[in-house]
Amino acid sequence: METAGGYPVVVTVAPQPEPRNRLTTALRPILAIPHAILAGPVYWSSRTGGVGLLGAAAYVMAIVSWFTLLITGEHLRGIREFSLYYLRWRTRAVAYMALFVDPYPPFGDEPYPAAIEVREPALARDRATIAVRLILVLPHVVLLVFLLIAWLVTTVVAWLSILFTGSYPPSLYRFGVGVMRWALRVEVYLLLLVDEYPPFSLD
């Protein structure tokens, strides 16, 4: 976990023992369908905007939060908790679909080797950045388009590597996890859960 001075979003993925599970890796696109429906397809999907049923609800609630935060400066507790629930599910589902982990994700909140933690804002919310959040996030969106294309290529290579050798190439693994971490930080920022601007970093 990061220190109090670090960025308030921490994404962790526990390294998996080798050899990796070749059977579930081969069938991963089929096995992951229920989670893709609920939490959205992996970021490098042909429809990268897809966020699943839970995500769709979270983004509708974010519109409500945009108004309540600008008017009252408060984030409704129920909306915040649901958004965090979605992001925890999203993190587990994406890690599984992207071949970072082998255990099947739970349908609900249970311990899993991929997790996200979002620190509660300690100060009054920054209404100025909330008002123009969609504009502020554009540089990240542009960069992520290119990163996600590269992630698609590296994931295909990793899929073949696991099938033939039982191993996920370490350099590709670090890159993929880094892109997932970057994308999740941006999604947390878009859902108005934090006000700190996401770093341009894979770390």
Side-chain angles (χ1 to χ4, degrees):
M1 184 66 65
E2 290 186 358
T3 63
Y7 193 71
V9 180
V10 180
V11 179
T12 56
V13 181
Q16 298 293 285
E18 294 188 352
R20 299 291 301 275
N21 190 318
R22 301 185 195 193
L23 178 59
T24 64
T25 296
L27 299 175
R28 195 67 51 98
I30 298 172
L31 295 173
I33 288 174
H35 286 283
I37 292 172
L38 291 168
V42 74
Y43 288 104
W44 44 259
S45 164
S46 60
R47 293 183 177 273
T48 54
V51 292
L53 298 177
L54 294 173
Y59 278 93
V60 169
M61 292 181 187
I63 297 172
V64 176
S65 295
W66 187 80
F67 286 101
T68 61
L69 283 164
L70 289 181
I71 296 170
T72 69
E74 298 292 331
H75 200 168
L76 296 178
R77 174 56 53 183
I79 290 180
R80 181 177 181 83
E81 290 302 323
F82 181 84
S83 297
L84 291 171
Y85 177 77
Y86 154 68
L87 285 165
R88 290 193 296 270
W89 198 316
R90 176 85 161 144
T91 301
R92 294 189 295 262
V94 170
Y96 181 72
M97 287 184 274
L99 310 175
F100 300 144
V101 295
D102 286 336
Y104 197 73
F107 287 91
D109 270 335
E110 294 179 20
Y112 193 70
I116 184 170
E117 296 288 339
V118 181
R119 193 167 64 233
E120 187 92 16
L123 304 175
R125 300 303 303 270
D126 188 345
R127 300 187 195 190
T129 64
I130 289 171
V132 293
R133 185 65 50 98
L134 289 177
I135 298 173
L136 293 175
V137 82
L138 284 177
H140 280 284
V141 172
V142 172
L143 285 172
L144 280 172
V145 168
F146 296 100
L147 287 170
L148 297 173
I149 292 172
W151 188 15
L152 168 60
V153 175
T154 60
T155 302
V156 172
V157 173
W159 184 75
L160 293 171
S161 176
I162 294 172
L163 291 182
F164 286 102
T165 71
S167 176
Y168 197 126
S171 59
L172 300 187
Y173 180 88
R174 288 191 296 271
F175 173 75
V177 171
V179 176
M180 183 182 79
R181 186 180 292 120
W182 188 329
L184 283 168
R185 287 193 299 250
V186 171
E187 192 163 8
V188 171
Y189 186 68
L190 271 175
L191 289 172
L192 308 176
L193 298 172
V194 299
D195 292 333
E196 291 88 341
Y197 196 68
F200 291 89
S201 172
L202 298 173
D203 297 327

